[in-house]
Amino acid sequence: MAATIFMVVRLRNLFAVVMLGGIYSLLAAALLVVLDAVDVAFTEAAVGAGISTVLALGALSLTTSQEKEPSRRPLYTLAVLFVVSVTGAALIFGSLDMPLFGDPAAPIHGHVADTYLAEGQAATGVPNIVTAVLASYRGFDTLGEVMVIFTAGIGVLLAFASAQAGRKPDDEVGGGEDDE
Amino acid sequence: MSHHLVVRVIAKFLIPFIMLFGLYVQFHGDFGPGGGFQAGVIFASAFILYALVFGVETARKVVPDWVVRTGIALGGLIFGGTGIVSLLKGGNYLDYSALKADPVAGQHIGILVIELGVGITVASVMTAIFFAFAGRQRKG
């Protein structure tokens, strides 16, 4: 996975970058299967490796598949380096306080997870506890997620519709020849 | 890509199975991994594969725009409507136990119905976004 990320940063050809992004998602899905999070792995494989790659390719076909050369002004590079280092250091500093991987005393295991695991199946009659939590215990969350997807879909449709409407009169006149 | 015979035949062969797998993931989400989100994406990928191989205009004839747009809203309405129904039956909003006399059966039905709503919205939104991207011509 580190190798894919390194190549994504280095490469200037966006087509290859999109493909590497898909490979990264597939590797992440495999990692999640190893961690026994099959539902999440399923989503990562379907959304990350599948649909996102196709949509990114669709976006590339509308724009260009070659990244612009980055600016080489020294002051700009220094500022970027500063911001990235400070953010990275803050993130690493924050991760120091996190519980160890698989630590049974971690805060996440102290609240409701035990109740869900103990009572979930009897209360909902659903053997897959992930579905039970997602749909029943966290029904409001899931409703919110669906609304996010709904909003995203409407937003994309509106953006493309307005772009289309903005271009139409132009096309009727004769598309771009007016500029000259 | 419509002139590639092998791609066309294989795609025709695969699409029904992709859709069947989508339905399986949708309605088997209670027992195995899966659920509305994954099923919606898988179902949409069947349409996207069709559009990639046979062209976006052909795919638009199979699933017209109004179907996709209705689907986007319908899924959310099913989800929210389930909450309203449980409210009318005397429970809290989205409390599926109130849907039936037996709370466990109510939970089961509620989860199935809202997962269906999730699946419809996700599938429609993914198809709509792909159509919006692919339906546009490259700027000249």
Side-chain angles (χ1 to χ4, degrees), chain A:
Chain A
M1 283 168 91
T4 14
I5 291 302
F6 185 72
M7 288 309 287
V8 165
V9 174
R10 293 299 304 170
L11 276 177
R12 293 263 163 266
N13 185 345
L14 292 177
F15 182 77
V17 167
V18 170
M19 284 300 149
L20 282 171
I23 292 173
Y24 178 83
S25 284
L26 211 58
L27 289 175
L31 186 67
L32 289 165
V33 171
V34 173
L35 291 174
D36 268 352
V38 193
D39 282 85
V40 190
F42 206 160
T43 317
E44 179 69 44
V47 180
I51 296 281
S52 311
T53 311
V54 171
L55 288 182
L57 286 180
L60 280 192
S61 76
L62 289 179
T63 55
T64 166
S65 64
Q66 208 67 24
E67 197 177 333
K68 270 187 193 160
E69 277 293 313
S71 159
R72 294 247 180 249
R73 278 176 300 170
L75 196 68
Y76 182 78
T77 318
L78 218 64
V80 169
L81 199 66
F82 177 73
V83 170
V84 169
S85 325
V86 167
T87 316
L91 287 175
I92 291 173
F93 178 71
S95 76
L96 292 180
D97 278 347
M98 277 170 64
L100 290 173
F101 178 73
D103 182 5
I108 188 101
H109 299 303
H111 288 289
V112 288
D114 290 336
T115 324
Y116 287 168
L117 288 178
E119 298 173 5
Q121 194 161 342
T124 62
V126 170
N128 182 359
I129 197 72
V130 176
T131 304
V133 171
L134 196 79
S136 188
Y137 289 108
R138 298 280 164 86
F140 273 69
D141 278 4
T142 312
L143 180 61
E145 282 166 28
V146 173
M147 285 307 135
V148 166
I149 293 177
F150 174 80
T151 319
I154 299 291
V156 168
L157 284 185
L158 280 178
F160 275 91
S162 64
Q164 219 99 54
R167 260 187 341 170
K168 249 177 198 145
D170 212 46
D171 289 344
E172 281 165 14
V173 179
E177 286 175 12
D178 293 351
D179 298 350
E180 292 167 8

